[in-house]
Amino acid sequence: MKRLILHADVSTMKKNLIVLGLLCFTLADVFGWGATGHRATGQIAEQYLNAKAKKKIAMILEGESIAMTGPWMDEIRSDSTYKYATDWHWSTIPDGKKYEDVEGTELDGKLIMMMEKIIVELKSGKLSSKQEKDYLRMLIHMVGDIHQPLHVGKPGDKGGNDVKVKWFRNDTNLHTVWDSEMINDTRLSYTELANGIVKPDNLVVAKWQK
């Protein structure tokens, strides 16, 4: 991931999030983003941390790995304390529009807007320890969500939840297939998934960061 809190580390963290995002596109070509997918995303992210960033993130997460904290934002959906974050998992862009065309207006879903806000808040250094931990866990999760195609989708189908399909003769919906069915049916662990991704060389990483 990125070095999030220390001001000197913010630009590097931003670059690393970009790399992670592009790696997620590769993973999303094959797999969705249930718990295992989110953990794989975190596992990939950890491979791009330097020692200083690892130490800072480990401190904020109180020793929990980025991989294991990845699904956290889904796990708290039943906790009314976090009801405010219900629509932070997706952004629906109107047909024929780009996000920048509708940014700042009423959008269905606040994923992109809240990612940007959380990054600013983490950079500020003004959060309490709990807020800092919650926001970092949210950011880790949202980086995964935004690269699952149906989390940034079109209006009218609830992110593919209303698109009914069959998966190996079982009734389900398109979102569920992307989120978990494809990945669960591989019977691979999150570490096996992460390690199976073709890693970019240093020149490609530098290009992505720019």
Side-chain angles (χ1 to χ4, degrees):
M1 207 74 192
K2 302 175 177 181
R3 313 168 194 166
L4 286 167
I5 307 306
L6 299 179
H7 288 278
D9 292 333
V10 168
S11 62
T12 301
M13 173 196 233
K14 186 174 180 182
K15 289 180 179 180
N16 288 343
L17 273 177
I18 293 169
V19 172
L20 171 59
L22 289 165
L23 285 169
C24 288
F25 272 125
T26 304
L27 188 59
D29 284 342
V30 186
F31 301 116
W33 297 113
T36 306
H38 276 291
R39 290 180 185 128
T41 304
Q43 182 75 7
I44 293 169
E46 289 188 9
Q47 298 171 11
Y48 288 86
L49 292 173
N50 65 23
K52 186 176 182 180
K54 285 181 181 179
K55 183 177 179 180
K56 183 66 178 180
I57 290 174
M59 182 188 73
I60 296 170
L61 296 180
E62 299 178 295
E64 185 175 36
S65 69
I66 294 177
M68 292 308 296
T69 203
W72 176 79
M73 200 173 169
D74 284 337
E75 295 165 355
I76 60 169
R77 287 191 177 199
S78 61
D79 185 344
S80 60
T81 306
Y82 296 97
K83 188 176 181 180
Y84 64 87
T86 300
D87 60 353
W88 293 14
H89 296 261
W90 75 90
S91 285
T92 297
I93 313 301
D95 287 339
K97 299 285 187 179
K98 297 179 181 178
Y99 179 79
E100 53 265 32
D101 296 332
V102 292
E103 186 178 13
T105 64
E106 281 298 315
L107 288 171
D108 179 13
K110 299 178 181 177
L111 172 57
I112 300 171
M113 180 176 70
M114 293 314 302
M115 278 186 65
E116 294 173 342
K117 182 178 185 298
I118 283 174
I119 289 171
V120 171
E121 292 289 332
L122 285 168
K123 288 165 62 175
S124 74
K126 297 178 181 179
L127 300 174
S128 68
S129 295
K130 184 181 186 306
Q131 288 174 319
E132 192 172 56
K133 183 177 181 180
D134 280 359
Y135 273 14
L136 179 55
R137 290 190 290 187
M138 287 175 172
L139 182 60
I140 290 166
H141 183 89
M142 288 191 286
V143 169
D145 271 352
I146 202 170
H147 292 95
Q148 202 276 58
L150 296 171
H151 282 263
V152 186
K154 67 175 186 175
D157 67 3
K158 296 180 181 177
N161 282 288
D162 285 347
V163 180
K164 306 305 178 184
V165 298
K166 284 186 179 291
W167 181 254
F168 288 94
R169 300 188 181 90
N170 295 318
D171 292 328
T172 183
N173 63 72
L174 186 60
H175 191 104
T176 300
V177 168
W178 266 100
D179 246 13
S180 55
E181 298 289 4
M182 287 192 290
I183 192 169
N184 291 341
D185 278 5
T186 69
R187 304 293 192 270
L188 296 174
S189 69
Y190 74 84
T191 54
E192 289 172 325
L193 287 174
N195 292 335
I197 298 300
V198 177
K199 303 300 188 297
D201 61 34
N202 291 336
L203 290 176
V204 171
V205 170
K207 182 178 180 181
W208 285 354
Q209 289 176 335
K210 291 179 180 178

